[in-house]
Amino acid sequence: ADELEALEDALAQLGSRLDPNTVRVLDRNLGVIQQAIEDSRRALAQDPGNEFLASHLERVYQRKLEYLRDAAQVAEWAD
């Protein structure tokens, strides 16, 4: 969670270096990932013992982390 927050902050700061179209794509993709997280959390709240849902939620968080890492690198390279 700490790394996610740090990457989100870094991307927000570095985003000004990117083309606005690139920022829109990044934001849209992050929105899709965030929606998947929220959907998974709601489903897991309804069925807290479901190991598949718990595993799926963990995978989606990992996907977000990897995406943020990649996006932050792109922003750094744009400098």
Side-chain angles (χ1 to χ4, degrees):
D2 291 340
E3 185 178 3
L4 276 175
E5 288 178 25
L7 284 167
E8 287 172 334
D9 290 346
L11 187 58
Q13 292 173 3
L14 294 170
S16 62
R17 300 178 184 175
L18 297 173
D19 180 271
N21 291 321
T22 302
V23 173
R24 271 194 293 279
V25 170
L26 292 173
D27 287 345
R28 184 175 52 233
N29 290 341
L30 282 172
V32 169
I33 293 169
Q34 189 59 43
Q35 185 63 52
I37 288 170
E38 291 170 17
D39 292 347
S40 297
R41 291 176 85 184
R42 276 194 295 276
L44 193 56
Q46 296 292 317
D47 188 5
N50 189 314
E51 291 182 27
F52 170 79
L53 291 174
S55 176
H56 178 71
L57 180 58
E58 180 61 32
R59 285 192 309 273
V60 177
Y61 270 114
Q62 285 299 319
R63 189 174 305 137
K64 181 177 182 179
L65 186 60
E66 291 167 14
Y67 188 80
L68 285 170
R69 285 177 185 150
D70 290 346
Q73 278 188 328
V74 167
E76 287 177 10
W77 293 333
D79 191 20

